[in-house]
Amino acid sequence: MSADRQGDVSKEAKQESVLLRPLGTAAAPGQELVCVFGTGDMGRSLGLRLLQSGYAVVYGSRRPHSCGPLPQGAQATGHEEAARSAALVFICVHREHYDFLETLAPQLKKKVLVDVSNNLKKNLYPEANAEYLQRLIPGAHVVKAFNTLSAWALQNGPSDANRQVYLCGNSDEGKQAVAEVATKLGFTVLDKGSLSAARELEDFPLQLFPEWRMPLRVAVGLTASFFFYLLIRDIIYAYVDQGKDVSFRIMVSLANKVFPIVSLIMLSLCYVPGVIAAFLQLYRGTKYRRFPDWLDRWMLCRKQLGLVALAFAFLHVLYTLIIPIRYYVRFRLSASTISQIKENRTSVFDTTLAWRADSYYSMGILGFGLFLLLGITSLPSVSNALSWREFSFVQSKLGYLTVFFCTFHTYLYGWDRFLQPYGYKWYTPPAYLLSLVVPSLLIVLKLLLLLPCVNRSLMRIRQGWERNDAEDGSARVLLT
Amino acid sequence: MSADRQGDVSKEAKQESVLLRPLGTAAAPGQELVCVFGTGDMGRSLGLRLLQSGYAVVYGSRRPHSCGPLPQGAQATGHEEAARSAALVFICVHREHYDFLETLAPQLKKKVLVDVSNNLKKNLYPEANAEYLQRLIPGAHVVKAFNTLSAWALQNGPSDANRQVYLCGNSDEGKQAVAEVATKLGFTVLDKGSLSAARELEDFPLQLFPEWRMPLRVAVGLTASFFFYLLIRDIIYAYVDQGKDVSFRIMVSLANKVFPIVSLIMLSLCYVPGVIAAFLQLYRGTKYRRFPDWLDRWMLCRKQLGLVALAFAFLHVLYTLIIPIRYYVRFRLSASTISQIKENRTSVFDTTLAWRADSYYSMGILGFGLFLLLGITSLPSVSNALSWREFSFVQSKLGYLTVFFCTFHTYLYGWDRFLQPYGYKWYTPPAYLLSLVVPSLLIVLKLLLLLPCVNRSLMRIRQGWERNDAEDGSARVLLT
Amino acid sequence: MSADRQGDVSKEAKQESVLLRPLGTAAAPGQELVCVFGTGDMGRSLGLRLLQSGYAVVYGSRRPHSCGPLPQGAQATGHEEAARSAALVFICVHREHYDFLETLAPQLKKKVLVDVSNNLKKNLYPEANAEYLQRLIPGAHVVKAFNTLSAWALQNGPSDANRQVYLCGNSDEGKQAVAEVATKLGFTVLDKGSLSAARELEDFPLQLFPEWRMPLRVAVGLTASFFFYLLIRDIIYAYVDQGKDVSFRIMVSLANKVFPIVSLIMLSLCYVPGVIAAFLQLYRGTKYRRFPDWLDRWMLCRKQLGLVALAFAFLHVLYTLIIPIRYYVRFRLSASTISQIKENRTSVFDTTLAWRADSYYSMGILGFGLFLLLGITSLPSVSNALSWREFSFVQSKLGYLTVFFCTFHTYLYGWDRFLQPYGYKWYTPPAYLLSLVVPSLLIVLKLLLLLPCVNRSLMRIRQGWERNDAEDGSARVLLT
């Protein structure tokens, strides 16, 4: 399960030792020759893999005779000669040094140049490396590829997150040629279209869960604030008011209040933007106008919001289920039994309470089950297998059902608690009440949208209808 | 996680604003020109996306000058002219209006026509829209594509369930051309073969979990009947017989009886057809003869049956785990303790009971664990990574092990209960006994099939051997 | 969910009956003709499917007139004639009988030969069947394909583990032609490169979880040894020492000690090799040297080690959560309460104990949650969607966090228990202490590697730097 890179190194070594034998026939006529510019780690790793896959490799280098250790079986020559020798040239050079390539323009004419370069950070340069390369050597077929793989994968071939080679370029035959090499190297190829996609490909290896940032920030923020809110109300208050030290409650009781609250709020937060958008469209009378940025960004991370909420719900479930094995709970229970006997009280069974408690649990379980279902359908391989009608059915219909169950679950938890004064320690409302604000609001607004009249006009707008006449409409499109 | 469509609209708007700049160079020489027939929502959405991806778009329209708002950068002309101008024509017109295309046959000759149309319901027409189109314009290369995407995805590009463009057609160059456009638009392409697959593609967007219908109906049916059965036995009986109101048991106790029962029955239901089929093949002495329809339909939804059963098992687990935190249970426990003390009874520890209870739980847990494993291996991406030998090992070997564990779990639950008269309220057998019928039968039959003699001849039949002589055999194939 | 094969047969039958109608027009001009050598089950199944998909099929056979039942619509002729008739020939013959093909070399020249053969066991022959075939008929374009599908899938088309057709070959047009057929038959095609990949493809259908063998052996070994260790300490000791029969504890209490122990050890076992490799690289001062075999093998099954560990952790969780509903536990609890009252003891609440118990549970839950996350990201479709930077972040950073949580969880469980003499029955240390050895060691070593100085030089080595001078370096590569 670990992706430590050394594993691959050794694998490389192994394949090497396995595959070096065929390389005895390196000069075989059938064997294809490819050229690699650059003898850094990138160039060497790639060359090694190419040799292993049965290619002949020529390195192009400034100092062909002192360019450090090369994978065995590879030759090294000057750039011109290397460029001349092969139809396919891998550019394993940092963008900073591309300029020297300009001088090779004549030799590289009609050649396929594979730009495998990456930058250290995004937006370092006005244009993508590959586009810059194409501009330097207009006569060549520049293809962006292999840059989304780690140097390790270039040495060792496919492994977990390094199975696919994304490529893009303006020349189809160029892409075709690179695709064949990638396949021979054991990767699966994904064509991303024209060279204009190069920027996207160059940013890919730099990204670290970009679309998860915002949801995680929200989660951390909510968790922290509710944690302190509850710390004050439950722990500190008890200490100040009755001098009791119940600090141990932090570990489970308090956590198990924070998790469900955050989960419920975040779950509803991924349906709120949809409702807002709907009202915006109704107000504007058209779907052909862009939304404010904040709304866009919000919408684009709904899936992540939901999955983080699911994680919190999962923790809530586990924290709830271990309650009965807690020392504290067992102690309290037996204590109450003992006191009952000592004081010879006889407690009577309260059917309403039983009803309420049980339905409270049922709602929670059903809500969590549905929530899990939403999570499963958002797995790439599952959502790909669904028709969009099925997907939107699951995500919106079942999604709202989940919101409803979970909200109802919380209402049942609260029951009439909000009436009791002791709940308002230091004049602060109980936390669960705060958690109910967003979902309750959401449900109300959604119900409004479902009113036949409202729903009808919304549908018409979504089918392309515009309240104003055509000219004006197109004009508006022009304005955006 | 939500797939509400507005999100995409806004995304569209955003991309638009981002991408409109390059469109300044709409007349750029390198830029490809495509034609779109029809200026409805479909046509506009597609055109918008095409423009964003750097294509020049010409709309073909009856009334080029009054055809409503068009995405900016697009021209509109008459059909003939538009058809002449581009090599690729998107037909975004309802099938009802295809006839006018016949008149354009000469202009559309040798052109690639992309049929993106869908119907409102299945089997509305004798032949697929795309095939109809091909018949109207035999000289054109008709390709069915993009119809499986929502209009939203056509505007906005890939999103969860809208990543793949399925296409089919009789002309390879035609498909090639469309595939390139789809890739440039950011989708991944899946070739579904010849135009005869068009019907399938046109039905795809209409489907709403077709293969889940039957399993869900079975689940609902079983749940309802067992619910009422238990309602009568557990709640109503208690009320009539002892005047006790135990209605609160509905929420958890009763549910937690219904779920496992339905789960066990449905789990075994996905192995029953296999056994039936085996016996049929043994009886017929050949595998080259079709099964009765009901058996076929049953077999094709086994996976879904299993997954629904897993969902019920999951609920059963959660409902079981919350038992100890239920008010009712806690009350009963402390009550019993108290009564013990009052009456000064000393209960002795029953080792047999402990053995039984613990193995009952163990079996349940192991069964559920295996069941979950089956569920995971049926995820598309996982089952694709397995060789069929591995897959069938997991699904049949481990599958039957799961059935065995769960059945044994139920037997341990029942233990000697079926002997006690009080179990037969109003002369009805306890529900768990009913749930054991199918799985027990299944296990017995499976064991029969595993008898060496039976198994051997079954294997031979499955390897293509036929009991009767060849001619007769082929004849039979002819008959099917 | 079941993959019993009969299901497919019947499906086949159905499709057949559905699809035979078009075959009325079998002689249609547009229809492509393919040839199948061999009339065994493989040949018949494939032919059936080809006919269903609209191909005309000619069987090549020794005895064209008595070659058993053929799918209807197919003709049978002699080999020469059949070979002449079609451009594409499926070789559905056992490798043993390939030799006769040599005589057909002239007729098969320039033809595409599809080798669908499999062997009964690995490494039966020096070279892959397909390569052998190519050697026999150098003039033909040999393509290895369809062999990874079950005969059932060849009859019935895609189903769970039979969706993808892997193919390889030296001739691109050959592969192209086969890919088209595969697509028409409803499969998705995966090009695996040159014919040298044939061996891999031929081994694929034979494999039964090869990379899972070692992890499962480890799991079984650990489980067995710890089971007996605990059996002696907990059950037998109690019987010998106090003559108490606590055998019932085997089912849950004992199992719930074995599972977490095995899980923790195996979890750390998938990070140990990475650490060893790092130290090896530091010692050698280069990454360009292969590791000992045992280390390689260990590294290549880390993912599986982790997933097995996760399964054990999952069982541990369930076994823990059912504790409070166990008869034994309930009995003990009420017994203690009763005794308390009888002896009129008043137990005082121990805050430290509460703290400890609760943090113990918290650590466990958080550890399990993270562990589950690791499991999810190792699903093919998920890891494919991650950039390798993201993947390695999750798997190594979060992975070590998981190890830490789980180890801490175990330490909290032990607390000061290791000090108490009664823990060392028969001078054996408590099992949990044994389980802590590996993870503790791992964490210490990892911390060593994180020391700035150590870490820096390791990073340099991983970026391709070598301690010794270039010549020597390349020399070493040569030596490997």
Side-chain angles (χ1 to χ4, degrees), chain A residues 197-460:
Chain A
R199 154 90 354 125
E200 185 193 335
L201 292 194
E202 287 171 10
D203 289 346
F204 185 67
L206 294 171
Q207 79 182 30
L208 190 62
F209 300 106
E211 70 281 8
W212 288 86
R213 295 264 161 81
M214 209 261 258
L216 287 175
R217 280 207 203 87
V218 175
V220 171
L222 285 171
T223 312
S225 37
F226 275 104
F227 176 77
F228 288 115
Y229 186 75
L230 286 161
L231 191 69
I232 292 164
R233 277 176 50 88
D234 293 10
I235 315 297
I236 299 177
Y237 178 85
Y239 189 75
V240 173
D241 198 53
Q242 308 136 48
K244 267 202 294 172
D245 169 14
V246 292
S247 55
F248 69 90
R249 297 173 122 279
I250 291 174
M251 283 320 272
V252 175
S253 319
L254 207 132
N256 199 20
K257 277 185 179 178
V258 175
F259 291 144
I261 288 174
V262 176
S263 178
L264 180 60
I265 295 181
M266 291 190 71
L267 172 60
S268 28
L269 279 185
C270 52
Y271 290 93
V272 170
V275 172
I276 297 178
F279 278 105
L280 252 176
Q281 291 180 320
L282 279 169
Y283 168 73
R284 292 168 167 181
T286 175
K287 75 172 186 180
Y288 293 105
R289 244 168 88 194
R290 59 173 297 195
F291 292 126
D293 278 16
W294 58 268
L295 188 54
D296 280 343
R297 278 200 307 282
W298 192 348
M299 285 184 157
L300 294 177
C301 68
R302 281 176 297 180
K303 179 177 174 174
Q304 285 72 22
L305 274 171
L307 289 173
V308 173
L310 179 55
F312 276 84
F314 174 76
L315 289 176
H316 167 49
V317 169
L318 283 185
Y319 271 98
T320 309
L321 294 177
I322 54 130
I323 287 177
I325 34 178
R326 288 176 61 200
Y327 162 71
Y328 164 66
V329 174
R330 285 183 171 174
F331 182 89
R332 225 190 44 214
L333 284 178
S334 79
S336 76
T337 318
I338 292 168
S339 66
Q340 252 190 65
I341 293 172
K342 293 234 171 98
E343 299 149 24
N344 208 333
R345 278 188 285 97
T346 50
S347 67
V348 286
F349 184 73
D350 176 351
T351 314
T352 333
L353 185 53
W355 258 106
R356 187 191 124 201
D358 282 1
S359 14
Y360 158 61
Y361 294 127
S362 279
M363 284 302 125
I365 292 173
L366 295 176
F368 180 67
L370 274 177
F371 205 165
L372 216 53
L373 189 65
L374 294 181
I376 292 168
T377 51
S378 70
L379 284 171
S381 64
V382 177
S383 58
N384 278 338
L386 298 175
S387 79
W388 62 268
R389 187 177 165 213
E390 294 169 330
F391 185 77
S392 58
F393 171 82
V394 172
Q395 294 296 0
S396 60
K397 296 265 185 314
L398 295 192
Y400 273 105
L401 195 59
T402 314
V403 174
F404 171 75
F405 275 138
C406 298
T407 315
F408 191 37
H409 170 69
T410 318
Y411 272 110
L412 282 170
Y413 165 81
W415 199 249
D416 58 359
R417 209 170 295 186
F418 66 96
L419 296 172
Q420 287 133 11
Y422 74 76
Y424 300 84
K425 303 164 182 164
W426 285 336
Y427 310 108
T428 59
Y432 84 89
L433 270 186
L434 300 177
S435 76
L436 277 169
V437 178
V438 188
S440 313
L441 209 69
L442 172 67
I443 290 173
V444 172
L445 289 176
K446 181 67 183 177
L447 289 177
L448 268 178
L449 285 175
L450 290 179
L451 294 178
C453 50
V454 186
N455 191 35
R456 205 177 311 107
S457 51
L458 185 60
M459 281 306 114
R460 268 162 68 222

Side-chain angles (χ1 to χ4, degrees), chain C residues 209-245:
Chain C
F209 300 108
E211 69 282 8
W212 287 87
R213 295 263 162 83
M214 210 260 259
L216 287 175
R217 281 206 202 88
V218 175
V220 172
L222 284 172
T223 312
S225 36
F226 274 103
F227 176 77
F228 287 115
Y229 187 74
L230 285 162
L231 190 69
I232 292 163
R233 276 177 50 89
D234 294 10
I235 315 297
I236 299 178
Y237 178 85
Y239 189 75
V240 174
D241 200 52
Q242 309 135 48
K244 267 202 296 174
D245 169 15

Side-chain angles (χ1 to χ4, degrees), chain B residues 113-175:
Chain B
L113 303 189
V114 189
D115 181 318
V116 304
S117 65
N118 282 320
N119 300 326
L120 292 175
K121 47 195 289 305
K122 290 189 180 184
N123 313 319
L124 214 57
Y125 301 101
E127 67 194 333
N129 300 356
E131 291 173 308
Y132 173 53
L133 182 61
Q134 183 71 84
R135 198 155 52 70
L136 286 175
I137 311 161
H141 305 305
V142 173
V143 176
K144 183 85 203 181
F146 291 102
N147 72 304
T148 58
L149 302 177
S150 66
W152 305 99
L154 280 179
Q155 271 179 324
N156 320 319
S159 74
D160 299 285
N162 288 291
R163 301 196 176 293
Q164 292 163 312
V165 166
Y166 299 89
L167 50 77
C168 70
N170 295 330
S171 132
D172 286 324
E173 53 271 35
K175 285 197 279 190

Side-chain angles (χ1 to χ4, degrees), chain B residues 171-462:
Chain B
S171 132
D172 286 324
E173 53 271 35
K175 285 197 279 190
Q176 185 54 33
V178 179
E180 268 163 38
V181 175
T183 320
K184 279 231 177 71
L185 264 52
F187 298 97
T188 55
V189 176
L190 244 124
D191 187 333
K192 301 291 278 182
S194 70
L195 204 57
S196 54
R199 152 91 356 123
E200 185 193 332
L201 292 196
E202 287 172 10
D203 288 346
F204 185 68
L206 293 170
Q207 80 183 28
L208 190 61
F209 300 107
E211 70 281 8
W212 288 86
R213 295 262 162 83
M214 211 261 259
L216 286 175
R217 280 205 203 90
V218 175
V220 171
L222 285 171
T223 312
S225 36
F226 274 102
F227 176 77
F228 288 116
Y229 186 76
L230 286 160
L231 190 69
I232 292 163
R233 276 177 51 90
D234 294 9
I235 314 298
I236 299 178
Y237 177 86
Y239 190 74
V240 174
D241 198 53
Q242 308 136 49
K244 268 200 295 173
D245 169 15
V246 292
S247 55
F248 69 91
R249 297 172 121 280
I250 291 174
M251 284 319 270
V252 174
S253 320
L254 208 133
N256 199 20
K257 278 184 179 181
V258 173
F259 291 145
I261 288 174
V262 176
S263 179
L264 180 59
I265 295 180
M266 291 190 73
L267 172 61
S268 29
L269 280 184
C270 54
Y271 290 94
V272 170
V275 173
I276 297 178
F279 278 106
L280 252 177
Q281 290 180 320
L282 279 169
Y283 168 73
R284 292 170 166 179
T286 175
K287 76 172 185 181
Y288 293 105
R289 244 168 86 195
R290 59 173 298 196
F291 293 126
D293 277 15
W294 57 269
L295 188 54
D296 280 342
R297 278 201 307 282
W298 192 348
M299 285 184 156
L300 294 177
C301 69
R302 281 177 296 181
K303 180 177 174 175
Q304 286 71 22
L305 275 170
L307 289 173
V308 173
L310 180 55
F312 276 84
F314 174 76
L315 289 178
H316 168 48
V317 169
L318 282 186
Y319 271 98
T320 309
L321 293 177
I322 54 130
I323 287 177
I325 32 177
R326 289 177 62 200
Y327 162 72
Y328 165 65
V329 174
R330 285 183 171 174
F331 182 89
R332 227 189 44 213
L333 285 178
S334 79
S336 77
T337 318
I338 292 169
S339 67
Q340 253 191 65
I341 293 172
K342 295 233 171 100
E343 298 149 23
N344 207 332
R345 277 189 285 97
T346 50
S347 67
V348 287
F349 183 73
D350 176 351
T351 313
T352 334
L353 185 53
W355 258 106
R356 186 191 124 202
D358 282 0
S359 12
Y360 159 62
Y361 294 127
S362 280
M363 283 302 124
I365 292 173
L366 295 176
F368 181 66
L370 274 176
F371 205 165
L372 215 53
L373 189 66
L374 294 180
I376 292 167
T377 52
S378 70
L379 284 171
S381 64
V382 177
S383 58
N384 277 339
L386 299 175
S387 80
W388 62 268
R389 186 176 166 216
E390 294 170 329
F391 185 77
S392 58
F393 170 83
V394 171
Q395 294 297 0
S396 59
K397 296 264 185 312
L398 294 193
Y400 273 106
L401 196 58
T402 314
V403 175
F404 172 76
F405 275 137
C406 298
T407 315
F408 192 38
H409 170 68
T410 317
Y411 273 111
L412 283 169
Y413 165 81
W415 198 249
D416 58 358
R417 208 170 296 186
F418 66 96
L419 295 172
Q420 286 134 11
Y422 74 76
Y424 299 84
K425 303 163 182 165
W426 285 336
Y427 311 107
T428 58
Y432 83 89
L433 270 185
L434 300 177
S435 76
L436 277 168
V437 177
V438 188
S440 313
L441 209 68
L442 172 67
I443 291 172
V444 172
L445 290 175
K446 183 65 183 177
L447 290 176
L448 267 178
L449 286 174
L450 290 179
L451 293 177
C453 51
V454 186
N455 191 34
R456 207 178 310 106
S457 51
L458 186 60
M459 281 307 115
R460 268 164 65 223
I461 288 170
R462 299 231 175 120

Side-chain angles (χ1 to χ4, degrees), chain A residues 68-237:
Chain A
L70 293 179
Q72 73 146 323
Q75 302 105 301
T77 76
H79 285 122
E80 289 77 359
E81 196 183 333
R84 247 186 251 91
S85 63
L88 196 77
V89 183
F90 286 93
I91 310 295
C92 303
V93 180
H94 289 296
R95 178 203 176 107
E96 296 75 49
H97 312 120
Y98 276 9
D99 38 19
F100 88 88
L101 289 165
E102 210 163 4
T103 64
L104 296 170
Q107 292 85 347
L108 293 174
K109 200 149 182 316
K110 296 242 163 298
K111 301 282 168 111
V112 177
L113 304 188
V114 189
D115 181 317
V116 304
S117 65
N118 282 319
N119 300 326
L120 293 175
K121 46 195 292 304
K122 291 190 180 184
N123 313 319
L124 215 56
Y125 301 101
E127 67 194 332
N129 300 355
E131 291 173 307
Y132 172 53
L133 182 61
Q134 183 71 84
R135 197 155 52 70
L136 286 175
I137 312 161
H141 304 305
V142 173
V143 176
K144 184 85 203 180
F146 290 102
N147 72 304
T148 58
L149 302 177
S150 68
W152 305 100
L154 280 179
Q155 270 179 325
N156 319 320
S159 74
D160 299 285
N162 287 293
R163 300 196 176 292
Q164 292 163 313
V165 166
Y166 299 89
L167 50 77
C168 70
N170 295 330
S171 133
D172 286 324
E173 54 271 34
K175 284 196 279 189
Q176 185 55 33
V178 179
E180 268 164 38
V181 175
T183 321
K184 280 228 176 72
L185 264 52
F187 298 97
T188 55
V189 175
L190 244 125
D191 188 333
K192 301 292 278 183
S194 71
L195 203 58
S196 53
R199 154 90 354 125
E200 185 193 335
L201 292 194
E202 287 171 10
D203 289 346
F204 185 67
L206 294 171
Q207 79 182 30
L208 190 62
F209 300 106
E211 70 281 8
W212 288 86
R213 295 264 161 81
M214 209 261 258
L216 287 175
R217 280 207 203 87
V218 175
V220 171
L222 285 171
T223 312
S225 37
F226 275 104
F227 176 77
F228 288 115
Y229 186 75
L230 286 161
L231 191 69
I232 292 164
R233 277 176 50 88
D234 293 10
I235 315 297
I236 299 177
Y237 178 85

Side-chain angles (χ1 to χ4, degrees), chain C residues 171-198:
Chain C
S171 132
D172 286 325
E173 54 272 32
K175 285 196 278 189
Q176 186 54 34
V178 178
E180 267 164 38
V181 176
T183 321
K184 281 229 178 72
L185 264 52
F187 298 97
T188 55
V189 175
L190 244 125
D191 187 333
K192 301 292 278 184
S194 71
L195 203 57
S196 54

Side-chain angles (χ1 to χ4, degrees), chain C residues 130-378:
Chain C
E131 292 173 306
Y132 172 53
L133 183 61
Q134 184 69 85
R135 198 155 52 70
L136 285 176
I137 312 162
H141 305 305
V142 173
V143 176
K144 184 85 204 180
F146 291 103
N147 72 303
T148 58
L149 302 178
S150 67
W152 306 99
L154 280 179
Q155 269 179 325
N156 319 320
S159 73
D160 298 286
N162 288 292
R163 301 196 175 292
Q164 293 164 313
V165 166
Y166 298 90
L167 51 77
C168 71
N170 295 330
S171 132
D172 286 325
E173 54 272 32
K175 285 196 278 189
Q176 186 54 34
V178 178
E180 267 164 38
V181 176
T183 321
K184 281 229 178 72
L185 264 52
F187 298 97
T188 55
V189 175
L190 244 125
D191 187 333
K192 301 292 278 184
S194 71
L195 203 57
S196 54
R199 153 93 349 127
E200 184 193 332
L201 292 196
E202 287 171 10
D203 288 346
F204 185 67
L206 293 170
Q207 80 183 30
L208 191 61
F209 300 108
E211 69 282 8
W212 287 87
R213 295 263 162 83
M214 210 260 259
L216 287 175
R217 281 206 202 88
V218 175
V220 172
L222 284 172
T223 312
S225 36
F226 274 103
F227 176 77
F228 287 115
Y229 187 74
L230 285 162
L231 190 69
I232 292 163
R233 276 177 50 89
D234 294 10
I235 315 297
I236 299 178
Y237 178 85
Y239 189 75
V240 174
D241 200 52
Q242 309 135 48
K244 267 202 296 174
D245 169 15
V246 291
S247 56
F248 70 91
R249 296 172 123 283
I250 290 174
M251 283 320 271
V252 175
S253 318
L254 207 132
N256 199 20
K257 277 184 180 180
V258 174
F259 290 144
I261 289 173
V262 177
S263 179
L264 180 60
I265 295 180
M266 290 190 74
L267 172 60
S268 28
L269 279 184
C270 53
Y271 290 94
V272 170
V275 173
I276 297 178
F279 277 106
L280 252 176
Q281 290 180 320
L282 280 170
Y283 168 73
R284 292 170 166 180
T286 174
K287 77 173 185 181
Y288 293 104
R289 244 168 87 196
R290 58 172 300 193
F291 293 126
D293 277 15
W294 58 269
L295 189 54
D296 281 342
R297 278 200 305 281
W298 192 349
M299 285 185 155
L300 294 177
C301 69
R302 282 177 295 182
K303 178 176 175 175
Q304 286 72 22
L305 275 170
L307 289 173
V308 174
L310 179 55
F312 276 84
F314 174 76
L315 289 176
H316 168 48
V317 169
L318 282 185
Y319 271 98
T320 309
L321 294 178
I322 54 129
I323 287 177
I325 32 176
R326 289 177 62 201
Y327 162 70
Y328 164 65
V329 174
R330 286 182 171 176
F331 182 89
R332 226 189 45 214
L333 284 178
S334 80
S336 77
T337 318
I338 291 169
S339 67
Q340 254 190 64
I341 293 172
K342 294 233 171 100
E343 299 148 24
N344 209 330
R345 279 188 283 97
T346 51
S347 66
V348 288
F349 184 73
D350 175 351
T351 312
T352 333
L353 184 54
W355 258 107
R356 185 192 124 201
D358 281 0
S359 8
Y360 158 61
Y361 293 127
S362 278
M363 284 302 126
I365 293 173
L366 295 176
F368 181 66
L370 273 177
F371 205 165
L372 216 53
L373 190 66
L374 294 180
I376 292 168
T377 52
S378 71

